[in-house]
Amino acid sequence: MLDRAQRIEMLRTMIRVRAFEEKLEQFYQRKAMFGSTHSYRGQEAVAVGACSALDSGDLIASYHRGTGHLVAKGADLYRLMCECLGRQDGYSMGRGGKMHMGDMSFGFLGNTGTVGATVPFATGAALASKLKGSKQVAVSFMGEGGMNQGVVHEAMNFAGLWRLPVIYLCENNRYAMTVSLEKSVAIKHLAERAKAYGFEGKVVDGNNVEVVYRETLEAAEKARGGGGPTLLECLTYRWDGHFGGDPGVGYRSREEIEEWKKRCPISRLTEKLVGEGNLGREELERMTREVYAEIDEVAKKAEAAPLPSKHCDLGSIFAQ
Ligand SMILES: Cc1ncc(C[n+]2csc(CCOP(=O)(O)OP(=O)(O)O)c2C)c(N)n1
C-alpha cells in the first residue's frame, strides 16, 4: 500500500520528468542542442510508476524515448542534461547524446537509437542476476513498435525458458513514428504474446501511476522469488510528435490528442490527492515551482558547461 509521502513523491517525480522534457524541447526549438528530442510528455506514469516499485540495486534498459526513465530511476540531472546537450560532463562525455548513455551507478544498463536493441541488455542482466544469485530484477522499457523486432522475440523466448528475473515493460503509445498499432499488428493486445514465451502478460492502464507501480511491484516480487518474467503492456499516449520536428498530427487527429490529454497522468494523481484532502493547492503550486526551478538551474549550468575535448578519455567510461 502506498502511503501519502510515496504518492506525493511520485507526483513530484512525474512533474520533474515533464519539466525536463519541456526544457529539452525549448533547447531543440532554439537549435541549442545536437540531434533531436523524443518527448515523453503524456507517458510519465509509466517511467515513474515502474521505477518507484524497484529496489535501488535493480536495473533498467531504456530506448530512444528514454530521458523520462532516467529521471525516474534517479539519474544525476546535471549529467543527464549535459549529455542531451553534448557537453563534456554528460554520461557519455557528451559524445553519445540523449539516446546513447549508460551508467551502472544508478542501475542504468543503457539505451540506443536502434529500436528493440536494448531488450537483450535487460535479458542478459537478468541472466547474470540469476547466475550470481543477486536477486536483482531487470526491467526493459520498449515501445510497442519495438515489440516487432526479431531480437525482442529471441530475448523473450530465452527469458521464458530460463525463467529470468526480468520485466518487459511495453509502452504502447499507439504509434511507431506515424504507423498506428492497428496497421502493424493483427492482435489487439501485445500482452497476449507472453503466452507464447511461457510467462504472464498483462494489459495495464499506463496513465495511472499507482496502477503501474502496483503491477511492477507484483512482477518484481515474482521475479525475485524465481517466478520468471512478466510482460506488462502499458496503454498510454505521447502528447507530442514522434521527434522534435514532427507536429504530431496528420496521422493522428487533434481530437484524439485532446481526448488523451484529458487522461493526463499528472492531473489524475493531483486531482485524486486533492480530492482526498492529501494535497493542498498551495503545496502543489510550491512543489511545481520548485521542480521547474530545479530544472532551470540544471539547464543553465549544463548549457554553460564545456563541449567535449578533442581527445576523449574513453577509458574512464569503460572503467566504470
Ligand atoms: C532497428 C530500427 N528500425 C527502425 C528505426 C527507425 N525508428 C526510430 S523510432 C521508430 C519508432 C519506434 O516506435 P516505438 O518502439 O513504438 O517507440 P515510440 O517512438 O512510439 O516511443 C522507428 C521505426 C530504428 N531507429 N531502428
Side-chain angles (χ1 to χ4, degrees):
M1 196 52 185
L2 284 161
D3 62 27
R4 178 183 180 272
Q6 287 171 306
R7 294 162 82 210
I8 300 273
E9 196 45 40
M10 291 205 300
L11 179 62
R12 180 186 287 274
T13 310
M14 286 200 289
I15 297 171
R16 187 177 286 126
V17 167
R18 182 165 297 178
F20 197 93
E21 296 303 288
E22 289 175 357
K23 183 55 74 179
L24 283 188
E25 212 49 46
Q26 289 165 18
F27 278 120
Y28 178 79
Q29 292 305 333
R30 60 181 175 90
K31 299 187 171 40
M33 67 182 282
F34 300 100
S36 185
T37 50
H38 293 93
S39 170
Y40 197 65
R41 288 199 316 155
Q43 299 182 214
E44 296 89 351
V46 181
V48 176
C51 290
S52 305
L54 299 178
D55 289 350
S56 59
D58 290 337
L59 306 160
I60 64 163
S62 176
Y63 60 105
H64 56 278
R65 201 173 304 287
T67 34
H69 310 137
L70 273 66
V71 172
K73 187 70 169 72
D76 178 305
L77 296 178
Y78 169 67
R79 291 193 68 194
L80 179 58
M81 188 64 85
C82 276
E83 195 53 51
C84 295
L85 300 186
R87 300 301 199 268
Q88 174 84 44
D89 291 344
Y91 277 114
S92 302
M93 303 179 82
R95 289 172 186 255
K98 71 167 203 55
M99 284 190 277
H100 302 99
M101 289 181 259
D103 193 284
M104 291 303 282
S105 69
F106 68 103
F108 175 43
L109 296 161
N111 62 341
T112 81
T114 309
V115 171
T118 48
V119 179
F121 290 12
T123 309
L127 174 62
S129 164
K130 181 166 179 150
L131 294 176
K132 288 189 295 190
S134 68
K135 298 281 177 197
Q136 284 165 298
V137 171
V139 173
S140 175
F141 292 98
M142 80 199 88
E144 86 290 345
M147 284 284 290
N148 294 329
Q149 287 296 101
V151 72
V152 172
H153 160 72
E154 291 175 45
M156 289 191 184
N157 181 57
F158 183 81
L161 184 66
W162 279 67
R163 301 192 73 68
L164 299 182
V166 58
I167 302 170
Y168 296 108
L169 218 149
C170 170
E171 302 190 56
N172 179 358
N173 64 12
R174 309 198 44 74
Y175 295 86
M177 299 180 94
T178 58
V179 181
S180 69
L181 185 68
E182 293 74 24
K183 284 188 181 154
S184 55
V185 297
I187 54 174
K188 188 157 182 250
H189 287 300
L190 294 164
E192 291 170 28
R193 289 189 186 168
K195 197 169 190 302
Y197 306 121
F199 52 84
E200 191 181 9
K202 284 184 175 179
V203 181
V204 173
D205 179 351
N207 276 23
N208 185 328
V209 71
E210 294 178 86
V211 169
V212 177
Y213 171 89
R214 243 192 348 260
E215 294 293 345
T216 309
L217 190 65
E218 195 181 301
E221 278 169 2
K222 183 175 82 178
R224 249 185 268 286
T230 305
L231 168 61
L232 298 178
E233 179 188 355
C234 295
L235 307 180
T236 186
Y237 199 80
R238 69 167 150 78
W239 285 9
D240 303 301
H242 168 69
F243 75 110
D246 167 21
V249 282
Y251 56 95
R252 317 186 295 181
S253 67
R254 289 190 195 281
E255 292 72 37
E256 183 181 288
I257 298 169
E258 288 315 311
E259 213 33 62
W260 275 92
K261 282 192 172 175
K262 289 186 196 149
R263 290 176 238 174
C264 169
I266 296 178
S267 306
R268 270 173 89 173
L269 182 58
T270 302
E271 293 314 319
K272 202 167 162 205
L273 288 166
V274 171
E276 294 164 351
N278 277 317
L279 178 69
R281 293 279 172 202
E282 256 177 45
E283 190 183 354
L284 172 68
E285 277 165 28
R286 192 178 56 245
M287 179 162 74
T288 308
R289 259 198 319 275
E290 280 168 8
V291 171
Y292 275 82
E294 175 193 29
I295 300 296
D296 271 349
E297 199 179 312
V298 160
K300 268 196 202 101
K301 202 173 148 206
E303 196 174 15
L307 291 165
S309 64
K310 220 171 183 180
H311 304 287
C312 178
D313 176 16
L314 285 175
S316 65
I317 292 183
F318 295 125
Q320 276 181 25

